[in-house]
Amino acid sequence: MTQARRTVFGRIRRIPTAYVALWIIAVICLVAILSYFDFPFTRYAFDETTAQVLASPSIDHLMGTDELGRDVLSRVIFGSRLSITIGIVTAIVGFLIGTIYGAIAGYAGGRLDSLMMRIVDIAYSLPDLLVMILIGVLIGRGTFGILLALALTSWRGTARLVRAQFIQLKNEEFVEAARAQGQNHVLIALKHMLPNSLGPVIVAMTFTVPAAILAESTLSFIGLGLSPPACSWGTLASDGWRALRTHPHLIFFPSSLIFATVLSFNFLGDGLRDAIDPRTRL
Amino acid sequence: MNLGTEPPSIDWHTTTDATSGDVIVNVMSGLTQYRQDLTCAPSCARSWEVLDDGKRYLFHLRDDVFWTDGKPVTAYDFEYAWRRLEDPKTGAGYADFLNDVVNAKEINELKVPDITQLGAHALDDHTFEVRLKKPAAYFIYLTAHWATYPVRKDVVERYGDRWTDPANIVTNGPFKLTKWQHDYKIELSANDHFFEGRPALDKIKMFMVAEQSTAFALFENDELDYVDNRSFSTHDVDRYRDSPYYRRIPLLQGSYIGFNVLKKPFDDKRVRRAVAMAIDKSIFPKLLRRGERPSASWIPEELPGASPDATLPFDPVKARQELSDAGYPDGKNFPTVALLYANREDTRLVVESVQAQLKENLGISIALANQEWKVYLATRRKDPPPIFRANWIGDFPDAETFMNLFTTGNGNNHTRWSNADYDKLISSAAGELDMAARARMYKQADRILCNQEAAIVPTYVSTQNLMVKPWAHGLAFNALDIQFLKTVSISEEAPR
Amino acid sequence: MLSFLLKRILYALPVLLIIASLTFVLVRLVPGGPFDAEKNLPPEIVKNLEAKYNLDKPVHEQYFLYLGRLARGDLGVSYKYVNRTVNDIIGDAFPVSLQLGLIGLTIAIFVGVPLGAIAAVNRGTAIDYAAMFISTAGISLPSFVIGAGLIFLFGIELKILPVALWESPQHMILPAVTLAFAPAAYLSRLTRASVLEILEKDWVRTARSKGLSHFSTIVKHVIRNALVPVITVLGPITASLVTGSFVVEYIYAIPGMGRFFITAVGNRDYDLIMATTLLFALLLLLTNTLVDIGYKFLDPRMEVEG
C-alpha cells in the first residue's frame, strides 16, 4: 500500500497542473488552519471602524472594508476556515457513504439493489431545505448543523454514480473472469471494479467541494446561513452580491477565492484520476 | 409599481398585511379617508357628529356612492362589515381595532354570542351609528383604516373564500381589480363611476418583485414608474442620493431592542439601563443610510406626545457603572445570552453593530441568533428570548398605536414588562380629549418605558425612500405608508 | 419493457406514500405554526382558524384525512393564500417552471456535453484548459452572482434583454441561461471524464486499430458508452430544473414554483409543502425511470431491474 501511495503522489508530481493545484490547496488549507490562531488578521475580522465603511481597496485595507467597516481581507481569511472545512468534510463524508452504498447496490443487483435505490430516491425526494431547517432548529445554526445538513444531502449522487458504474462493469470480461475463478465478492469489488469506476466518482467528488461551499452560500442567500459575526466565503458572497454595481470588491474577492479553490480541486481531481487509474500511461 | 410580495389576501377583514393594504385602499373607500397630513377627510360619509362626550358617533353617508355592480353603498353594508370584522368565525386579525366599541371585544371572545349586539348600527340607508364604551381620542382614525371598510353581504355569502377573486369582487373605490396573476402581478383599472370622479390612470400594474436590486433595475429600465423602500437596498441609496428623482418622506415606523424582563440578566433594570446607555444610536443612520433617525423617544417625533429626550443618552461610563452596580463589573460573569433577530439585510447590520458596541463599551459578549421570519415570530410569541430586535409600524397616526403596545397583556408586548403607572397613563390618555394634557401623559409614559425602566431601547425611526420617474405626477405618500394612487397621472413623455 | 414499466409503477406508489408520510411528520416537527402572522392574532382566532383547517385534530387524524384527500387528487388548501387551493397554486406556477427548466436543460445538455467531449478529445491542449476554465466558472460562481452579472451586462448596460419579469420569450433568455450555467458545467466535466475513461478501454483501442476512422469511432462507441454516467445525473438534474430554482426565480421575479420550496416552509403552509415535495418526488421517479430505459438503449447488455 505504501508503494501504491508513493506511486500516486509520484505520478501527480509529474502532472504540472495537478502539482500546482495541490500546492494552492495546501496553502489555502494552511491559511484556514492558521485562522484558528490569534494572528493579527483574524482579530480585524470583527473590529468595527465605522469611519471607513465600504472603503475601496487601498494600502490600509487590501480588499477594502464592508458595510460595518470591517476589513474584507480579514473576513476572507477568517471565512476560509469554514468554507474549506465544509467543502472537504462534506466531500469526504459523501464520498465514503456514497461509494460504499453505491458499490453494494450495484454489485448485488436484484432486490437489494432495488430496495437500496428506492431509499436513495426517497432521500432525494425530501426537499433539502426542509431537512436543513429541521437540523438548524434541532442542532442550531452553527458550523456543525450546516455540516450535518450538507453531508446528509451529498452522498446520494455519488451512490447513484457508483452503482451505475458497477452495473456496467459487472458485465466486463475481467470481472466475469474473476468471478469464474471463484474470487471473494468483496475482493472483486475492491480490486477490480472500484479502481475502474473511480474516474467519474473522483470528478464528482471534486464537484462536491464547490457544491458544498455554494450550498452554504445559497443557505445564507435565503436567510438560513451562519449566525454573524461568523462568516464564510459563501456568506460573504451572499451578503455582497447586491453591491456588484456599487462596491464590487465585496463580491469580487470571495467569489475569486471560491473560483481559485474550485479550479485547483478540478486540476487535482483530474491528476488524481490519471494517477489512480492503473491503465493510464503517462 | 412594485408590491414586493404577493398579498396574502385582499379580504380586508382577514388580512393584516401592509401589502394587502396597498391594493385594498385603491379599490375601496371607507367612511373617512386620510388627507396628505393624516387628518381625516370625508369619504363615503359626507359628515359625522360626535355625541355624548365622545361616546357616540353618527355618520351621515353620501347617497351617490355605488358598488361596481351598480348597487348603492348603504349603512347596512357597514353594519354587516363591522359585524363580520368582530365575528369570531371570520378570524379577523384586526378585530381588536374596535375594542372601544360596545360589545366588540365580547363578541370576538364569544362572551356575547349575538353579533347584532355590536354597538354599530345602521339607523337607515344613510345613517350609521357607533356607540363606544368610553371616549377614544383616536377613534375617528379607525374609520379611515381599511379594516373598517364596507363589505357586500350577498357577495361574501355567495362566493365564500373566493369572493375577492377578480371575477367575483365588488368594490366602491377609484379602481377595479381586473387581473391577479398570483405571485407575479395585480392589475387595476379605472372605475368610471367612482363618486369622486374617474381617476387619471387607466390601468395600474402592481408587480411582486421581492428582490430589491431587481426591482431597482426595472425602475432604471423604465418598467416601474416609482420605487419605494421595498425596492431600495442600502447600496442603491448610495448611488441615487443625488438623483433629482430621489425623495425622502417620514414614516411612522420605529425599531427597538426589547428585553424579556422576566429573564436573567435583564430582569434587573440596571442591566437594561446599562445596555441602553452603551448603544450609540447615532451609528445606525451611518450603517443603514436610508435617512433613519436615532430615536429620541419611542413615540416618533411626528406625533403629538413625542419628546426629544425620553430615551437614555449614550454614556459608556455611566453604563459601566450601572452594570457594575448590578454585579457585573467590566462585564465579568455576565451570562451568555443571544440576541434574536429576523434575518433581513438591514437588521443584520444593526444587530452586528449592537453586538460590537456592547463588547466595546460594556465588555460583554452577546451571541446573535438569526431566525427566518416565521420562526422568529413564533419564538417571540411563545417564549420571548432575553433580548431581541423588533420594529413596529403605526396602524393609525396617533401615539396610542405605539404606546398601547407595551401595556400589560397586549398580545404584541413581548417584553412581558408590566407597569401599573404606565398602564394607567396610557388608559387615561386614550380617553383624554384635551390634546395638550394627552401629550403630557404620553411623554411621561415614554420616559417610564425607555428611561426609568428601560424595557426597550428604541433604536431608530425609518423614513420612506422613493425614486419617482419625472413623468409620474401626483404621488401622495403619507407617513403610514398607505399609497393612494387615485391622484396619480402619467404625462406624455412616458416611454411606452 | 412493459413489465419493467409496470414494476416501476408498483414500486413508485409505496415510495410516494413513504415520502408523503415522512414529509407529513417532518413539517409538523418544525416549530412555528401557519398562523404566526406579523401582527399577533388573538388566541381565540387562532383556535378558530385551526378548527377551520382541521389543525385542531390529533395528528394521526389529520394524517388520514390528508391521505383521503390525496387519493381523490385534492392537494388541499393553502393557509397563507386563503382563497386558493394548492391545486390552483401548483397549476399556475408549475407550467412556468417547467418551461423555464426545459429550456435551461436543453441549453445545459447542448453546451455541456459537446464541451466535455471536445475537451476530452483534445486533452491537455489549450482547448481543454479553456473548457476547464469555463466550466469551473460555471460551478464556482453562485447563481445569484451570475444572475446579477447577466442582468447588469445585458439588461442595464447593453439594454438588449429585459432585466426581469415573465412577459415574452425574450424574458426567458437570461433566466434560462443563468439556470443552465451550473448543470452545463457539471455535464461538461462529467462528459470529459467519462469520455477519457472510455477512450482508454481496450475495446476502443481495438476498434481504432481496426481502421475505423477516428471520428466514427468516437461517435459510435465512445459517446454512446460515455453517456452512461452522464444520463445517470440527468435524472435528478431534470427533476430539480423543472420544479424551479428559488434563486433564479427570485432574482428575475418569475412566478414559478421554486419559491414554494422556501416560502411554503417559511409560512408553515403544510399542504403546499406536501404538494411540492410530492411533485418533486413524482418527477424524480419519472426521470429516473427514463434514465434506466436510457441505460438499456445505450447498452443492451446492462440488466436493470425495476
Side-chain angles (χ1 to χ4, degrees), chain A residues 28-50:
Chain A
I28 292 173
C29 290
L30 189 71
V31 170
I33 292 165
L34 280 180
S35 76
Y36 279 94
F37 300 98
D38 191 28
F39 80 118
F41 279 122
T42 52
R43 256 179 279 138
Y44 295 133
F46 309 113
D47 274 4
E48 236 190 325
T49 45
T50 37

Side-chain angles (χ1 to χ4, degrees), chain A residues 190-261:
Chain A
L190 274 181
K191 229 170 113 186
H192 299 285
M193 296 172 78
L194 200 59
N196 280 299
S197 59
L198 279 186
V201 175
I202 283 178
V203 175
M205 193 178 152
T206 58
F207 273 79
T208 316
V209 176
I213 293 174
L214 285 196
E216 190 266 319
S217 163
T218 305
L219 273 183
S220 24
F221 180 86
I222 60 180
L224 298 172
L226 286 169
S227 297
C231 64
S232 68
W233 293 345
T235 59
L236 291 175
S238 81
D239 288 345
W241 73 279
R242 285 186 184 86
L244 184 69
R245 294 167 66 187
T246 43
H247 306 98
H249 66 272
L250 288 183
I251 182 65
F252 178 77
F253 292 108
S255 294
S256 307
L257 274 161
I258 300 177
F259 181 81
T261 311

Side-chain angles (χ1 to χ4, degrees), chain A residues 38-90:
Chain A
D38 191 28
F39 80 118
F41 279 122
T42 52
R43 256 179 279 138
Y44 295 133
F46 309 113
D47 274 4
E48 236 190 325
T49 45
T50 37
Q52 284 180 301
V53 168
L54 289 168
S56 295
S58 64
I59 297 295
D60 290 340
H61 300 284
L62 289 176
M63 294 186 182
T65 61
D66 71 0
E67 300 105 312
L68 287 169
R70 296 172 298 203
D71 181 51
V72 174
L73 177 62
S74 311
R75 305 267 299 161
V76 162
I77 290 176
F78 186 79
S80 67
R81 174 198 304 185
L82 193 82
S83 287
I84 294 297
T85 314
I86 282 179
I88 292 179
V89 171
T90 311

Side-chain angles (χ1 to χ4, degrees), chain B residues 68 82 92 111 137 153 160 180 193 236 260 274 304 324 381 389 432 445 461 465 472 476 491:
Chain B
T68 42
W82 286 36
K111 284 175 198 139
K153 186 179 179 192
W180 187 350
H193 308 291
D236 293 318
N260 181 338
S324 146
R381 185 167 59 111
R389 199 217 81 104
E432 177 61 61
V461 179
N465 292 265
S491 54

Side-chain angles (χ1 to χ4, degrees), chain A residues 48 50 53-54 67-68 70 75 133 141 223-229 239 241-243 245-247 250, chain B residues 211 213 220 233 235 238-239 283 287 289 341 343 345 348-349 352-353 355-357 368-372:
Chain A
E48 236 190 325
T50 37
V53 168
L54 289 168
E67 300 105 312
L68 287 169
R70 296 172 298 203
R75 305 267 299 161
I133 292 183
R141 192 81 47 73
L224 298 172
L226 286 169
S227 297
D239 288 345
W241 73 279
R242 285 186 184 86
R245 294 167 66 187
T246 43
H247 306 98
L250 288 183
Chain B
E211 171 49 38
S213 57
E220 288 177 280
S233 79
H235 298 295
D238 284 346
R239 285 193 298 145
I283 228 165
L287 297 178
R289 310 194 300 286
Y341 69 102
N343 204 329
E345 197 202 352
R348 179 180 62 82
L349 292 177
E352 283 195 52
S353 163
Q355 183 184 41
Q357 292 194 50
L368 296 179
N370 56 344
Q371 291 184 337
E372 44 142 350

